[in-house]
Amino acid sequence: MSTEGLASFDFPSAGKPLMTWYRVYGEYGLSNGRRPLIILHGGPGVPCDYLSLLAEPLWLEYSIPTIIYDQVGCGRSTHLKEKADDPGFWTHKGVTYMFQEQLLQLKAHLGLKGEYDLLGFSAGGCLAFDYHVNHQDDGIQHLILASSPYDYSKWREVVKEQLRELKVLEIVEKHEAAATLEDPEYQAACEAWSGRHMSVLPEAQWPEELKRSLQMAGEDPTVSTILGGSDEFLKNTGLYSTWSAVGRMDQVKVPTLITNGVFDMIPSKCQKAYVDGIKDTEWVVFEKSAHLFHIEEPDKCVEVLNNFLRR
């Protein structure tokens, strides 16, 4: 059972009306003792369809009402192509500020006034972290940072190590320096990294929901490009490049679950900083997965989340 809709989002500097597309699995406000869970997608700029594979079983198997939505700039929410060359628009009051405001207004539209839980997947974890730190009295009871970088520049260094381990670093360096990114040799190097660290599933086995998210992200790469940077491995050009949780982890005041896959593009060495820096954490590593562990180990994933959210 799911319902979807559009919520208005008032953000004057956008210069036009904005809308947030959302989907709710189940019903919140019931007397079953389960708080709503809001899931924030990653990318940045990869719409939330792929997270329906997590949201739906959480409701059907564990009666956890779950909300997913597209952040502005992507998917079925309002797009912002005209802001592609306006970095000041995106960084006003901080690189996640607009998206924090979007979440606040979506909650108001949905009538969520009490306790709830918040999960940020990949780059969505940066937003979830900032939102919690800046809204301590907003009702969040549990925070989940799923395969999320604690520091973007440090993560880029880890990616370089991964390329070296795959013996493709020199190939990547050569072609990125020469701007020959369409060269088959470079494309093969990208596929080697993705096949090891994005998903252990062959692309032919990717679910339609994931393919749809990636297709929509590719149709309008405004957000992914200006926030995440170019597709090149070794250039940290996006506005997220300076994002870091370092020095702020002691401000997380709720139980926090840290998760990643053993082959994750954002691996355990990136998660350990969260585990060491946040006071009350659990840490689960999915031993058969890369980045998309909710697709690669779906049953274990929803079980882990359910157990944690029952704390």
Side-chain angles (χ1 to χ4, degrees), residues 33-38 115-120 128 132 139-145 252-257 280 282 305-311:
R34 303 314 303 258
R35 291 177 300 273
L37 172 67
I38 301 176
E115 297 180 348
Y116 70 102
D117 301 313
L118 185 63
L119 185 158
H132 171 61
I140 296 173
Q141 300 300 299
H142 297 81
L143 180 65
I144 302 169
L145 302 175
V252 176
K253 305 298 184 183
V254 297
T256 302
L257 175 65
D280 184 2
E282 292 184 22
L305 294 184
N306 174 62
N307 291 341
F308 174 72
L309 294 174
R310 282 194 177 279
R311 285 183 51 178

Side-chain angles (χ1 to χ4, degrees), residues 9-16 18 83 89 105:
F9 172 34
D10 181 25
F11 198 74
S13 62
K16 65 182 183 182
L18 303 178
K83 300 296 185 181
F89 169 77
Q105 293 186 34

